[in-house]
Amino acid sequence: MSEHPFLGGPRDWWRQAVVYQMYPRSFADANADGIGDLRGIIAKVDYLASLSIDAVWLSPFYPSELADGGYDVADYRDVDPRIGTLAEFDELVEKLHARQIRLFVDIVPNHSSDQHVWFQEALKSPPGSRERARYIFRDGRGANGELPPSDLSSHFGPEGWTRTPDGQWYMHLFTKEQPDFDWSNREVHDEFLKTLKFWSDRGVDGFRIDVAHALVKQLEPLPTRSSYSLDVMKDDGTDSLFDRDEVHEIYKEWRQLFNQYDPPRVAVAEAWVHPHRRPAYATTDGLGQAFNFDLLTSAWDAEAFQSVIDANLDFANQTGSSTTWVMSNHDVIRHATRLVIPSDLGGVTFDAENHWYVNHRLDGDLDLEKGLARAKAATLLMLALPGSSYLYQGEELGLPDVTDIPSDQMQDPQWFRGEGKFKSRDGCRVPLPWKATGSSFGFGDGGSHLPQPTWYSKFAVEVQDGNPGSTLELYRAALALRKRLISGESLSWRSSESGTLWFEREGGWSCFTNFTDHQVSLPQGEVLLTTTEISGSKVPANSTVWLRLP
Ligand code: GLC
Ligand code: CA
């Protein structure tokens, strides 16, 4: 692979990288079965290159019964036949690398699918067997073991234990099709090291680690839990289910493997932990980087953004890692919609967002034009920050979330098991519109596995491509410019009027955001890029401008 232009040379390529997350089933469908596939992605490598991204992260593409959108993995070292083959995977790696695009894959180590060979063996084996010891099987309570071993709910509904035909129960923090591994078992460690080596040997550059904070659990006494809100999670490394100090021993072992490669393989933790506990996942002897999801729960407000930025740059300094930024992913309401959910109806916290979704998603009264303006302004701000940015497929088109999918066409277990309390995540997983017309807007010739709304046509790649005012061209311009502008990792704030933020980066450029609904004065400097057209010396409402300083 040739030299990478980012600071520090190739070993540090990830520090300020832009990573584009792909939900493979919804990106592009080459064989017209309604499901996105590797061939579809391969056909779009030019498109990816046109975005000047540094890496692609593929959400799970492994064999799966899709109880949780692929996060129920039946075989960690293969490709789902509906998505492609290992040979196609190798071809994708090669084609991406040829365009200087690196590849992350998703590793789901907390739980497998119930279709995984290990779980199937466990079901066939007796209580106390070696096969059962890879998962968390226990006898039930009550006279005949008819009550679950402990009072444990799951993320997706009331039961965290499910009974097997022979009477024992197994633990699952997510759906019952996602049994949790027992990470006190050495065999589980070895199995995942084998998987990480398998993909690293195939040229994978990085790993996104799913629920990285849950692997190690205290099982005596058995854990109990009725809510998965962060408020009830202990913040000192002794919680029975999450973020236990011992989890880092696992990642140290992984790091030793990663460092056997040149450049070393990288990893980013999905760890929903108390913010001050996040740096531990990002140490150089651990995973190296951790997601910072704070912007997903920040109001569209200058002070809120500033405190999130300061806190996370500080965390990054504590570990020597770089910070990460995320505005959208496959689990949240797309930011072009989220940023105009009124805070009295929802918005900001996940609880409030769920509330809005459950009660107001069909009202159809959000100001989506403002949502798009805010989304573009937020993205341009994010892309000006030190650290790496994770983009989610379709945000470069300015797609709003599809919030009105009829319930009988939804797929997300969070919706079906959530007892009417949780949003469906399907709205951000609807297949992308590539063309303005056609049965699935160019996603493929065979329809789309989630329904696309008619308004998708106006967001199609074809419509935006080459159109200077489009969101797609704004992303392209911003990402290309970012590559040229970014050097060091420091940021210094400049004072600006209330409701705005202005910061400077090394090399004499700066980023100014107007969070308000009215225009404000444009700071001095040459305008390099702007999310809304500027006339005269005013920055329109809900806009970001990149400026070269005088
Ligand atoms: C992570 C994934 C989410 C999945 C869950 C269980 O949070 O992002 O999509 O449902 O883990 O694997
Ligand atoms: Ca397909």
Side-chain angles (χ1 to χ4, degrees):
M1 215 176 195
S2 59
E3 276 280 295
H4 196 267
F6 276 131
L7 91 163
R11 293 178 76 84
D12 272 354
W13 65 269
W14 52 274
R15 292 191 68 92
Q16 300 205 76
V18 175
V19 183
Y20 180 92
Q21 180 192 357
M22 222 178 254
Y23 192 72
R25 285 176 183 79
S26 299
F27 186 70
D29 172 23
N31 68 348
D33 64 355
I35 298 169
D37 43 46
L38 296 183
R39 277 266 152 252
I41 301 173
I42 290 169
K44 302 290 186 200
V45 169
D46 283 348
Y47 174 78
L48 296 169
S50 82
L51 293 171
S52 308
I53 51 173
D54 299 288
V56 163
W57 145 31
L58 293 178
S59 276
F61 50 81
Y62 314 109
S64 169
E65 288 303 305
L66 303 182
D68 182 20
Y71 283 89
D72 46 321
V73 179
D75 182 347
Y76 290 87
R77 299 189 287 273
D78 204 351
V79 177
D80 190 304
R82 287 164 293 188
I83 292 188
T85 63
L86 278 172
E88 285 169 351
F89 182 87
D90 293 341
E91 186 181 333
L92 176 62
V93 173
E94 196 185 307
K95 297 238 157 87
L96 288 173
H97 282 177
R99 306 300 295 269
Q100 312 293 305
I101 300 171
R102 287 162 159 96
L103 183 63
F104 281 69
V105 299
D106 221 304
I107 296 293
V108 189
N110 179 64
H111 46 265
S112 71
S113 154
D114 61 351
Q115 301 304 310
H116 191 283
V117 58
W118 272 11
F119 193 72
Q120 289 299 314
E121 282 172 14
L123 288 181
K124 285 184 217 126
S125 305
S129 59
R130 172 182 172 202
E131 286 77 9
R132 286 212 173 174
R134 294 159 176 159
Y135 294 92
I136 305 169
F137 280 86
R138 293 291 184 275
D139 292 330
R141 292 172 299 175
N144 301 304
E146 71 282 6
L147 296 173
S150 72
D151 295 328
L152 182 72
S153 68
S154 75
H155 278 94
F156 298 150
E159 294 98 18
W161 293 98
T162 289
R163 202 169 192 195
T164 66
D166 68 20
Q168 269 210 319
W169 299 71
Y170 64 89
M171 190 198 281
H172 51 89
L173 293 186
F174 294 88
T175 71
K176 69 176 178 22
E177 293 85 2
Q178 292 166 294
D180 282 40
F181 285 114
D182 185 346
W183 274 89
S184 68
N185 184 335
R186 183 66 225 173
E187 260 196 279
V188 176
H189 292 243
D190 292 341
E191 181 68 9
F192 274 90
L193 285 168
K194 196 168 163 189
T195 294
L196 293 166
K197 183 170 185 316
F198 178 87
W199 295 110
S200 298
D201 288 345
R202 290 194 112 86
V204 164
D205 305 278
F207 299 96
R208 177 263 187 192
I209 312 303
D210 192 68
V211 262
H213 56 307
L215 278 46
V216 177
K217 300 171 181 83
Q218 185 186 44
L219 297 174
E220 274 175 47
L222 286 169
T224 58
R225 190 87 24 141
S226 58
S227 154
Y228 284 87
S229 147
L230 198 56
D231 309 335
V232 300
M233 189 193 296
K234 286 194 192 160
D235 70 352
D236 61 358
T238 65
D239 190 271
S240 57
L241 287 174
F242 298 109
D243 189 32
R244 293 181 67 78
D245 288 334
E246 304 89 315
V247 79
H248 299 293
E249 297 304 317
I250 297 173
Y251 301 132
K252 279 189 185 143
E253 214 176 1
W254 290 14
R255 172 53 52 194
Q256 285 168 14
L257 174 78
F258 297 156
N259 285 351
Q260 288 167 20
Y261 293 84
D262 186 24
R265 299 314 188 225
V266 304
V268 56
E270 185 214 24
W272 292 95
V273 297
H274 292 278
H276 73 276
R277 302 273 307 169
R278 198 184 298 140
Y281 291 81
T283 56
T284 45
D285 64 350
L287 292 175
Q289 229 186 16
F291 278 127
N292 143 34
F293 292 127
D294 296 350
L295 291 180
L296 298 180
T297 50
S298 286
W300 179 242
D301 172 83
E303 278 177 33
F305 268 60
Q306 182 165 19
S307 59
V308 162
I309 293 166
D310 282 338
N312 283 285
L313 292 177
D314 186 45
F315 290 146
N317 283 336
Q318 290 173 31
T319 59
S321 182
S322 61
T323 190
T324 61
W325 306 104
V326 182
M327 287 303 302
S328 277
N329 65 28
H330 67 297
D331 288 332
V332 301
I333 296 180
R334 285 185 178 278
H335 65 294
T337 297
R338 190 180 69 238
L339 292 174
V340 280
I341 296 177
S343 51
D344 53 339
L345 293 183
V348 193
T349 66
F350 289 120
D351 286 349
E353 191 177 288
N354 283 322
H355 175 84
W356 174 83
Y357 188 90
V358 170
N359 298 295
H360 300 285
R361 73 186 181 100
L362 300 174
D363 295 355
D365 57 358
L366 295 183
D367 182 349
L368 291 177
E369 209 173 307
K370 190 190 272 187
L372 181 56
R374 288 181 175 176
K376 291 195 282 195
T379 298
L380 219 64
L381 185 161
M382 170 175 87
L383 291 175
L385 292 170
S388 57
S389 285
Y390 284 76
L391 309 179
Y392 178 58
Q393 69 177 34
E395 68 166 88
E396 77 278 21
L397 305 176
L399 281 180
D401 213 80
V402 186
T403 57
D404 57 356
I405 300 177
S407 191
D408 62 0
Q409 293 183 56
M410 286 190 190
Q411 300 174 5
D412 186 7
Q414 182 171 274
W415 174 256
F416 295 111
R417 296 171 199 247
E419 302 179 302
K421 285 194 293 234
F422 298 106
K423 65 174 186 266
S424 162
R425 299 167 297 177
D426 290 318
C428 63
R429 301 175 180 184
V430 174
L432 294 190
W434 294 91
K435 297 199 173 116
T437 53
S439 79
S440 63
F441 302 112
F443 166 65
D445 293 332
S448 136
H449 67 97
L450 277 169
Q452 297 162 306
T454 49
W455 51 259
Y456 248 40
S457 74
K458 66 172 195 270
F459 291 90
V461 173
E462 172 184 73
V463 173
Q464 302 197 37
D465 194 17
N467 170 352
S470 70
T471 307
L472 176 58
E473 292 303 338
L474 175 71
Y475 267 71
R476 283 179 173 152
L479 292 162
L481 188 56
R482 170 189 160 100
K483 270 211 145 100
R484 293 207 296 278
L485 291 175
I486 280 188
S487 53
E489 289 183 32
S490 67
L491 166 155
S492 47
W493 292 105
R494 294 200 144 206
S495 66
S496 64
E497 64 185 277
S498 131
T500 71
L501 287 183
W502 190 20
F503 59 84
E504 185 180 338
R505 296 290 306 271
E506 275 168 56
W509 65 291
S510 70
C511 175
F512 177 85
T513 300
N514 176 10
F515 288 80
T516 73
D517 284 333
H518 51 82
Q519 60 176 22
V520 298
S521 299
L522 176 70
Q524 278 208 326
E526 175 205 345
V527 174
L528 298 172
L529 193 65
T530 168
T531 59
T532 319
E533 207 176 319
I534 290 187
S535 57
S537 58
K538 295 289 178 193
V539 178
N542 300 302
S543 306
T544 291
V545 191
W546 288 1
L547 293 155
R548 182 163 299 289
L549 295 171

